[in-house]
Amino acid sequence: MPFFHSRLALYAFMAILSVVVLIGHQALPPMDRDESRFAQASKQMQQTGDYVTVRFQDELRAKKPAGIYWLQSSFARIFGPDAIASYRFVNLLAILGAVFALYHIGLQLYDPRSALAAAALFSSGFLVLGEVHLAKTDTVLMALALAQQWALMQLYLAWQNGQPPPRHGWLWFWLAMAAGILVKGPVLPVLALLSVAALCFWHRQFRWLAIIRFWRGFAIVLVLCLPWALLVSAATDGAFLSTAISGDLLAKVKSGQESHGAAPGSYALVLAILIWPATPLLLWAASQFKAFTGRAETRFLLAWIVPFWVMIELIPTKLPHYPLPVLPALILLLVGGVAVLAKPADSTAKWRYHLGISLRYLGVAAGPVLAFAAIWGAMSFGGETSRQALGFAFLSLGTAGLAAWFGHLWIRQALWRPFFGMIGAAMLFHMIVFSGVFPALTRIHISSAIATKIATFPTPPAAIATSGYQEPSLVFLLGRDLLLLSPTEAALFLIEAPGGLAIIEQRHQAAFLNAARQLKLGLDAPEQLSGFNISKGQEVVILLYRAEIFDATVGKG
């Protein structure tokens, strides 16, 4: 049996993927803002033993259910609570599970080699690999979405083919949904509802839904999800769920939350970058839309993708990870375009053929575009490690060029070998970017620079406060006892906390020094750091102040 037709190829790919992800987990510093908020809340959950309420320092974090924090804190207990990689580890398991599931779904649609191509394309994509490196909910949610939809697909295909449904298919469907609710609220129920509604609309009947066993499944979801909902409501007097629904979910639906608004169609515009190296296959899929509706398998994939995609395009809040629950289905559709369209015999269709080839080359070019963006980032934010950042960036350009060359060979020859070569080069590109370029952009890793500077002090600070620069990554690195204060409060802090350290952002320096003068507080010359705050999109200068130490022996003799 050829290697690419065997399961050994799948396991070999999963092993390579594990190495790529683990290297990135160790190399990349904590990122702002969501990742550090999740990691710090999970760290506090593990430290306090409170697995009901979710808190960031003393603030109630009513953004997401507790599921992701349970997972992250569990691995932090195993691997250590201070390393950000501990909180990212669950993402590795999630992506490996997703790859395994996607491969087996691909076996129902294509031959084993095409199924492997689907799994490889999916897990080597820019968006997927980028999210895997961050300790957030989205990679886990994507894996659970794949599990839920796979179970639903089995039930649907059994009905379409007149076969008895899988014995436990309905159970896996509801279990995956319940887990998804505990991780990120209503996303998976909405995905399932939209998929089912699209299929019912297509077939003009609802009777087949009996195989889903709604009432049994609904009872399972309640049994698994309701206890935590009741406990957290009791612990917070209903504030957690109220804030999560009105302050987070509904706010995103009504308007662009936290300056993340964008017009409908935004995801379609950036899709080519988000899924590279699968970009060259987009045109083929668009041209085959009518053919997809003729097969039950691909019809299900369309029901999975289209309604959810329309929904996220219409929601005012736009974030890059929102398409993740439907990306596996999209890749499964795109993998059908691996073979190049044959040259048409009639002259009237030649222009379509040449247009298709041209657009495929444009898709291949998405890789070098990403590489030039990495070079720009290295030049702009490399700081003291700009040589290292530029070295990795130009290395990424070389791998992107290699991926483009393999893409060219695939377009010309329609062979599997260059296609897998393109995927391999793309994965190497992403490893270099996420494990080399991003960690070397020291100007954006301000919190890490502050923590490193503090670690060099001969005497560790007795307590630390910060004014102006108050990013979550700083809290994660310095601990939950970090005080977030105003400039005046920071001056008072240095009086009340002998041996304390005040971290002052330059925009708050004048107010801090004015308060220090009024309080007759003597200050040592500050240590200074500078960088670029990517959360606010602005240059920052950070000053580390300590109070002068009064020496009672001075002047005596």
Side-chain angles (χ1 to χ4, degrees):
M1 177 183 291
F3 177 72
F4 288 118
H5 276 79
S6 66
R7 289 184 184 272
L8 180 61
L10 172 67
Y11 300 141
F13 176 77
M14 292 172 67
I16 294 171
L17 179 63
S18 299
V19 173
V20 170
V21 172
L22 286 174
I23 291 174
H25 282 183
Q26 297 292 331
L28 190 65
M31 300 296 291
D32 286 310
R33 292 179 173 162
D34 281 351
E35 177 182 47
S36 294
R37 285 171 176 159
F38 277 108
Q40 178 59 28
S42 298
K43 180 195 288 189
Q44 292 180 205
M45 181 176 281
Q46 186 262 332
Q47 291 172 338
T48 63
D50 180 1
Y51 290 91
V52 175
T53 54
V54 182
R55 297 186 183 277
F56 180 86
Q57 291 189 300
D58 295 324
E59 177 186 351
L60 186 66
R61 179 161 168 75
K63 291 282 187 180
K64 301 293 182 289
I68 190 65
Y69 305 101
W70 294 339
L71 294 170
Q72 290 183 353
S73 61
S74 297
F75 287 109
R77 184 179 294 276
I78 297 172
F79 298 116
D82 296 326
I84 188 64
S86 300
Y87 303 90
R88 293 168 172 165
F89 187 78
V90 65
N91 285 359
L92 173 62
L93 301 183
I95 190 65
L96 292 179
V99 166
F100 185 82
L102 194 70
Y103 173 81
H104 285 85
I105 297 176
L107 289 178
Q108 294 184 251
L109 301 174
Y110 313 112
D111 61 273
R113 187 162 48 183
S114 298
L116 179 66
L121 266 183
F122 163 73
S123 54
S124 63
F126 182 76
L127 175 59
V128 171
L129 274 181
E131 287 295 331
V132 167
H133 283 79
L134 299 177
K136 304 193 303 175
T137 60
D138 304 292
T139 303
V140 175
L141 181 76
M142 177 184 65
L144 292 172
L146 184 54
Q148 171 189 280
Q149 297 297 98
W150 185 15
L152 182 60
M153 180 179 181
Q154 298 291 334
L155 297 172
Y156 170 74
L157 292 180
W159 171 69
Q160 279 285 281
N161 297 326
Q163 300 172 348
R167 184 176 179 182
H168 298 297
W170 68 274
L171 180 60
W172 289 115
F173 170 75
W174 290 106
L175 288 175
M177 181 184 294
I181 292 172
L182 287 172
V183 166
K184 203 168 182 176
V187 176
L188 293 199
V190 169
L191 175 62
L193 178 63
L194 291 174
S195 301
V196 167
L199 293 172
C200 289
F201 177 79
W202 176 266
H203 294 290
R204 302 293 196 276
Q205 61 171 291
F206 301 88
R207 292 180 181 177
W208 70 277
L209 294 180
I211 60 178
I212 297 176
R213 302 188 185 183
F214 176 81
W215 293 114
R216 290 188 187 181
F218 185 67
I220 290 173
V221 170
L222 287 181
V223 167
L224 294 177
C225 300
L226 193 57
W228 171 79
L230 294 175
L231 288 172
V232 76
S233 296
T236 62
D237 294 326
F240 190 99
L241 294 181
S242 175
T243 304
I245 294 171
S246 61
D248 185 48
L249 176 62
L250 295 180
K252 290 179 178 178
V253 174
K254 290 179 181 178
S255 60
Q257 194 182 44
E258 300 176 357
S259 304
H260 295 308
S266 300
Y267 291 116
L269 290 176
V270 299
L271 180 61
I273 296 296
L274 296 180
I275 67 171
W276 183 80
T279 311
L281 305 177
L282 277 173
L283 176 74
W284 179 89
S287 67
Q288 298 295 312
F289 184 86
K290 184 177 292 187
F292 287 150
T293 61
R295 295 184 60 196
E297 294 87 348
T298 49
R299 188 161 58 240
F300 178 85
L301 296 177
L302 290 174
W304 180 350
I305 299 168
V306 176
F308 190 87
W309 195 281
V310 171
M311 182 191 72
I312 61 175
E313 291 282 17
L314 294 178
I315 292 176
T317 301
K318 298 285 193 297
L319 289 169
H321 59 260
Y322 280 7
L324 278 174
V326 300
L327 273 191
L330 180 63
I331 296 301
L332 285 168
L333 282 179
L334 294 183
V335 81
V338 171
V340 176
L341 296 174
K343 197 171 233 183
D346 67 289
S347 59
T348 59
K350 284 184 178 179
W351 70 271
R352 293 182 182 176
Y353 170 80
H354 290 296
L355 177 62
I357 292 296
S358 300
L359 290 177
R360 286 189 176 203
Y361 275 111
L362 284 178
V364 167
V369 169
L370 287 170
F372 282 115
I375 293 173
W376 173 84
M379 295 174 63
S380 302
F381 306 116
E384 297 178 356
T385 57
S386 58
R387 286 188 177 182
Q388 179 183 344
L390 277 172
F392 280 119
F394 279 108
L395 188 59
S396 74
L397 179 61
T399 55
L402 182 62
W405 172 250
F406 278 122
H408 161 72
L409 294 179
W410 164 63
I411 292 172
R412 292 287 300 274
Q413 301 173 4
L415 297 177
W416 281 102
R417 189 177 298 275
F419 181 75
F420 280 108
M422 179 178 68
I423 295 175
M427 180 164 284
L428 182 59
F429 166 86
H430 289 126
M431 184 180 73
I432 293 169
V433 169
F434 294 122
S435 303
V437 177
F438 273 108
L441 302 181
T442 52
R443 294 195 69 244
I444 70 172
H445 302 305
I446 303 169
S447 297
S448 297
I450 294 172
T452 301
K453 175 64 71 174
I454 293 174
T456 64
F457 288 174
T459 305
I464 306 176
T466 182
S467 177
Y469 182 79
Q470 299 180 344
E471 295 300 331
S473 58
L474 191 64
V475 178
F476 177 80
L477 291 169
L478 299 184
R480 65 174 296 187
D481 294 330
L482 176 68
L483 299 173
L484 311 181
L485 305 177
S486 69
T488 301
E489 291 170 338
L492 286 168
F493 158 80
L494 288 182
I495 291 179
E496 296 173 355
L501 173 70
I503 303 169
I504 309 296
E505 202 268 314
Q506 191 176 51
R507 292 174 179 82
H508 289 225
Q509 184 186 25
F512 169 77
L513 294 177
N514 182 54
R517 282 191 296 268
Q518 293 179 4
L519 295 168
K520 298 181 181 180
L521 171 66
L523 297 169
D524 286 336
E527 299 277 357
Q528 181 173 312
L529 301 167
S530 63
F532 186 82
N533 188 338
I534 57 174
S535 298
K536 294 185 176 180
Q538 62 185 21
E539 297 282 343
V540 294
V541 175
I542 306 296
L543 301 122
L544 308 182
Y545 281 99
R546 303 186 83 163
E548 288 181 341
I549 300 176
F550 174 72
D551 189 348
T553 64
V554 175
K556 293 184 177 182

